[in-house]
Amino acid sequence: MAATRTGWAAGPVLVRTPATSANLGPGFDSLGLALALHDEVEVELTDDGELAIEVDGEGAEVAGRGDRHLIVRVLRDTFDVLDDLAGSGPPRPSGLRLRCRNRIPHSRGLGSSSAAIVAGITAARALHPAGGRLDDDAALRLATEIEGHPDNVAPCLAGGLTVAWTTPDGPRLVRLESQVKRVVAYVPEHRLATERARGLLPETVPHGDAAANAGRAALLIAALTGGLDAGVLLDATEDRLHQDYRAPAMPESAALVGRLRAAGVPAVISGAGPTVLAFTSAGQLDSMVGEVGNGWHEHPLDVATRGAHVMSGESEPRP
């Protein structure tokens, strides 16, 4: 039975969240790009005291986690934050129905966890009577607290190309217009836990490598927003801070990046991997099928100009 408590949303809320690619080579823990591969999450509050979860597609195996399901935890955490902001209000409905249509591959470096976190926060804002009190800055802060880093949640919230950073007052983001409108993601069958990839990073790096990455990250922003040629973009996507250190955890991905870059294709590890992101069109890569090899799912993807949002009506067509 749908919730009838005054002030809470009476019907289901449907949220659409994009995949994301973080780092983009030299922009470690700061740059991110939203991609037009979407998850859809429908949340409905009920008065029956039950928790029901349905998952279609990626992550179907976690439908039975109940209260431990990531979106359920985020929803309830966000409701708690909104309760505190409101001070008082109508009691929370006792039941929750969650339906997930997941298309973003899990544990592949395409921001599936960030999409789930942002979906939960976005749905909670739409459902709670005080949802408007949680502004975009507060949503970014909450998403970052849950996820741990702002570089994936930022483009998921804002869409497009984002730069995220942390201040004493919390995380911030700026959204930029990317002149690169389409990329190609090469997604392997195997998964890689972000914690494992991050655990391979050293405590310190050479000063020269840090300086080189700072310059490349600045050049990458210029290349992506200024529509500079592929040669500049190839230089701009060079990284010395994280990809080589993580290569032992994903040797096939590291090798593919190397082959593509040797052929003049700007290619990077997406997020913590193991997906490889190429800044080029699928048509331009047709002649390189032999270089890519087997075991990769090729996904030509548009840059998603819109971040997470509440949908009206039925689900949008699958991209």
Side-chain angles (χ1 to χ4, degrees):
M1 183 176 70
T4 57
R5 312 272 177 128
T6 303
W8 290 83
V13 167
L14 185 61
V15 175
R16 200 170 196 239
T17 53
T20 53
S21 181
N23 300 325
L24 307 182
F28 181 63
D29 278 359
S30 59
L31 300 185
L33 194 65
L35 303 174
L37 181 66
H38 295 87
D39 284 352
E40 292 170 6
V41 173
E42 184 179 89
V43 184
E44 185 175 10
L45 300 174
T46 67
D47 284 323
D48 58 13
E50 300 293 327
L51 172 61
I53 303 173
E54 299 175 18
V55 180
D56 178 35
E58 290 281 336
E61 70 278 2
V62 303
R65 288 185 177 176
D67 291 328
R68 295 181 297 113
H69 191 281
L70 178 57
I71 296 179
V72 173
R73 289 191 282 117
V74 173
L75 280 163
R76 289 176 172 166
D77 287 348
T78 309
F79 287 155
D80 289 342
V81 170
L82 288 166
D83 286 346
D84 290 341
L85 290 173
S88 63
R92 188 183 307 180
S94 60
L96 180 66
R97 184 172 295 111
L98 173 66
R99 301 182 182 92
C100 304
R101 304 175 186 89
N102 294 338
R103 300 172 185 125
I104 303 171
H106 282 200
S107 301
R108 303 300 206 290
L110 288 170
S112 61
S113 295
S114 292
I117 291 166
V118 171
I121 293 172
T122 304
R125 293 168 81 184
L127 290 163
H128 196 285
R133 293 176 179 264
L134 191 72
D135 62 20
D136 291 344
D137 289 341
L140 173 63
R141 184 164 54 250
L142 179 58
T144 302
E145 288 173 0
I146 298 170
E147 202 278 337
H149 302 91
D151 51 326
N152 261 320
V153 295
C156 191
L157 283 163
L161 171 66
T162 58
V163 184
W165 69 100
T166 302
T167 75
D169 296 323
R172 302 286 303 278
L173 75 83
V174 62
R175 184 187 185 281
L176 304 171
E177 291 297 331
S178 173
Q179 297 303 309
V180 174
K181 304 299 184 184
R182 197 166 176 82
V183 298
V184 180
Y186 288 97
V187 183
E189 290 287 350
H190 63 277
R191 300 182 176 188
L192 176 65
T194 300
E195 294 79 7
R196 181 187 174 199
R198 189 166 285 274
L200 294 172
L201 299 178
E203 290 294 326
T204 61
V205 297
H207 186 276
D209 289 348
N213 260 58
R216 290 299 194 269
L219 181 61
L220 181 56
I221 292 296
L224 292 176
T225 60
L228 303 183
D229 63 38
V232 175
L233 194 53
L234 180 64
D235 288 341
T237 49
E238 181 185 358
D239 163 70
R240 298 187 192 178
L241 286 188
H242 66 101
Q243 293 184 158
D244 287 346
Y245 296 110
R246 289 168 162 171
M250 47 184 141
E252 297 88 355
S253 300
L256 178 56
V257 168
R259 292 196 301 272
L260 291 174
R261 294 187 65 83
V265 177
V268 299
I269 297 295
S270 179
T275 290
V276 172
L277 196 73
F279 289 92
T280 188
S281 68
Q284 290 173 312
L285 290 174
D286 284 347
S287 62
M288 297 185 59
V289 172
E291 293 292 333
V292 173
N294 298 321
W296 300 91
H297 296 281
E298 182 182 276
H299 294 273
L301 297 171
D302 291 333
V303 172
T305 58
R306 190 176 187 186
H309 60 280
V310 175
M311 297 167 58
S312 58
E314 295 300 317
S315 300
E316 298 177 27
R318 180 171 180 164

